[in-house]
Amino acid sequence: MQILSVNLGERSYPIYIGAGILPRVGELLAQAGLRGKVAVVSNPTVAKFYFDPVDQALRQAGFEALPIFIRDGEEHKNLTSLQTIYDRLIGARLERKSCVLALGGGVIGDLAGFAAATYLRGVPYVQVPTTLLAQVDSSVGGKTGVNHAGGKNLIGAFYQPKLVLIDVAVLKTLPRRELIAGLAEVIKYGVIEDPTLFARLEAQMDKLIELDNDLLIETIATSCAIKGKVVEADEREEDYRAVLNFGHTVGHALEAVTGYTEYLHGEAVGVGMVKAAALSRQQGFMDGNDFDRILQLIRKAGLPTEIPESVSLSDLIQAMEVDKKAAGGKIKFVMCNGLGKTKFHWLATSEILAALSA
Ligand SMILES: NC(=O)c1ccc[n+]([C@@H]2O[C@H](COP(=O)([O-])OP(=O)(O)OC[C@H]3O[C@@H](n4cnc5c(N)ncnc54)[C@H](O)[C@@H]3O)[C@@H](O)[C@H]2O)c1
Ligand SMILES: [Zn+2]
């Protein structure tokens, strides 16, 4: 088992990463000083495989599990589900020293985290992420929240977990399409911070997709370490944390113009990273060789790399302007300044259009 830590003073926490470590969840919670009732927030898809082992592990360590299952899907990351969670927490009289455990992907993590941040003005919570995306991204860093009819993640809080437990064995039941989507964020870490990770992915992408445990542990640990460092430097995204948005400006716009139904988030980010790399090359920050390596790696992962013909580029740019609150006709982009380095850069919509049409 690998143990990392996110160092944020009194809000610091460990990340445990291993294969088959789910049965250790009770022991690790006890070690973190937690006790009493544990509200296990999950959904039926994930609970079918993993609630029983978690329940058993908690019981063996002297905890009492309170299952709270929310319907599966991004559309349920909303205030109605939050209300369901509050009702259950209040009904079961969970106290300040009780804790909330998120067992699922990013949807469950964001929802359970926000419930924990607000119930009784904050109770401890634990992340047990079960998608690759959640293991390398959403479970670390403390962004919690729900969607509103007016937009995604509009209601939320920065609230760090007490610990993160990542069992790579749970990825065996994850649909392949979800696994591949999660790889987009891993590739992103290579592009923005770590040429060694990038090269390792180039050499071993197939083995990773086949779920080699040791490689998964190493890759997820590297990803979490990068995310943790960025969060330590800028916990509340005053500026630097925005480097994590590499590929997300075009990615978010593509998700929005296709009504959030055609692309998984990571798939849209795959396209977005290729376009951000093209813009970085157009602006002279990156050479053609780096661009080709990024394009090839995203392709090798099985992610899409092109904006489909059916999507109008002007709609896409309009969506970016709304998303990024464009100032004076310019949009702030994270550029790749050579593999492993980034730079913020304001681009005119005409420059973006030129790179997107190329
Ligand atoms: N808080 C953050 O910093 C942050 C960062 C990135 C994304 N997010 C949020 O994360 C969400 C997306 O998360 P996601 O990609 O994990 O999607 P998700 O939570 O919807 O999970 C994807 C699907 O996989 C299923 N699933 C999960 N684990 C499984 C397993 N081990 N076996 C079988 N099926 C499993 C889920 O039930 C779901 O159907 C979005 O709401 C996004 O806004 C948050
Ligand atoms: Zn993302």
Side-chain angles (χ1 to χ4, degrees):
M1 184 164 77
Q2 288 220 27
I3 308 174
L4 308 177
S5 65
V6 180
N7 300 306
L8 293 166
E10 58 183 17
R11 295 183 306 291
S12 300
Y13 52 95
I15 305 174
Y16 300 96
I17 309 167
I21 63 172
L22 204 55
R24 295 186 60 183
V25 66
E27 164 203 336
L28 294 170
L29 256 67
Q31 204 176 302
L34 301 167
R35 61 204 145 85
K37 290 184 186 163
V38 180
V40 180
V41 181
S42 192
N43 69 36
T45 315
V46 176
K48 178 175 75 184
F49 299 112
Y50 307 112
F51 178 74
D52 284 351
V54 166
D55 182 38
Q56 200 179 344
L58 289 174
R59 223 162 332 125
Q60 274 167 4
F63 294 94
E64 185 192 335
L66 169 76
I68 305 179
F69 299 161
I70 301 300
R71 284 201 280 164
D72 191 3
E74 177 75 31
E75 66 275 27
H76 299 295
K77 194 177 109 176
N78 61 18
L79 291 167
T80 309
S81 300
L82 197 60
Q83 176 80 49
T84 306
I85 299 176
Y86 292 141
D87 290 348
R88 297 271 299 164
L89 296 176
I90 293 164
R93 295 197 167 72
L94 254 81
E95 297 163 0
R96 294 285 291 265
K97 62 177 169 45
S98 319
C99 83
V100 172
L101 185 152
L103 176 66
V107 166
I108 290 295
D110 282 11
L111 192 54
F114 187 59
T118 45
Y119 177 64
L120 301 180
R121 298 193 184 84
V123 294
Y125 84 111
V126 171
Q127 290 274 18
V128 183
T130 62
T131 62
L132 181 60
L133 179 128
Q135 294 186 341
V136 298
D137 189 355
S138 61
S139 66
V140 173
K143 278 193 183 178
T144 71
V146 298
N147 302 326
H148 183 272
K152 288 191 68 169
N153 299 319
L154 289 183
I155 300 160
F158 285 99
Y159 192 62
Q160 302 292 343
K162 284 286 174 243
L163 69 91
V164 182
L165 184 153
I166 300 175
D167 185 348
V168 300
V170 305
L171 298 176
K172 293 203 165 47
T173 55
L174 185 69
R176 190 182 164 92
R177 188 177 168 198
E178 296 285 352
L179 179 82
I180 305 268
L183 286 171
E185 306 288 354
V186 178
I187 294 172
K188 178 189 80 180
Y189 293 126
V191 175
I192 64 171
E193 286 285 336
D194 192 343
T196 310
L197 169 64
F198 191 92
R200 198 201 302 151
L201 293 171
E202 287 180 313
Q204 298 190 294
M205 183 56 82
D206 296 339
K207 203 170 159 193
L208 195 60
I209 294 173
E210 284 161 24
L211 301 179
D212 178 272
N213 276 343
D214 291 341
L215 186 59
L216 277 171
I217 292 170
E218 193 186 344
T219 306
I220 293 169
T222 306
S223 300
C224 288
I226 293 171
K227 173 120 190 216
K229 285 280 162 297
V230 173
V231 170
E232 284 168 6
D234 178 20
E235 186 181 5
R236 298 176 70 90
E237 197 166 325
E238 316 265 335
D239 46 62
Y240 175 58
R241 185 168 173 165
V243 298
L244 298 172
N245 287 333
F246 178 76
H248 283 60
T249 305
V250 173
H252 283 153
L254 189 57
E255 286 182 277
V257 299
T258 52
Y260 296 97
T261 54
E262 278 170 47
Y263 290 89
L264 293 180
H265 172 70
E267 294 169 342
V269 170
V271 178
M273 288 194 292
V274 173
K275 299 306 167 189
L279 277 160
S280 306
R281 186 179 55 175
Q282 177 206 55
Q283 296 292 317
F285 295 127
M286 189 207 280
D287 62 26
N289 183 47
D290 279 353
F291 173 80
D292 287 338
R293 286 178 68 189
I294 292 172
L295 174 65
Q296 291 312 327
L297 185 58
I298 294 170
R299 205 171 264 162
K300 196 166 182 194
L303 288 160
T305 56
E306 285 306 324
I307 296 164
E309 303 233 320
S310 55
V311 167
S312 122
L313 294 183
S314 60
D315 286 356
L316 204 62
I317 286 175
Q318 212 170 20
M320 281 179 224
E321 286 173 331
V322 173
D323 184 40
K324 297 294 161 197
K325 300 161 201 76
K330 292 206 165 193
I331 296 177
K332 190 179 175 188
F333 263 78
V334 184
M335 298 274 99
C336 177
N337 196 9
L339 269 183
K341 291 184 294 235
T342 51
K343 188 177 170 64
F344 292 118
H345 191 61
W346 292 88
L347 291 171
T349 50
S350 57
E351 294 170 298
I352 303 170
L353 196 59
L356 294 187
S357 344

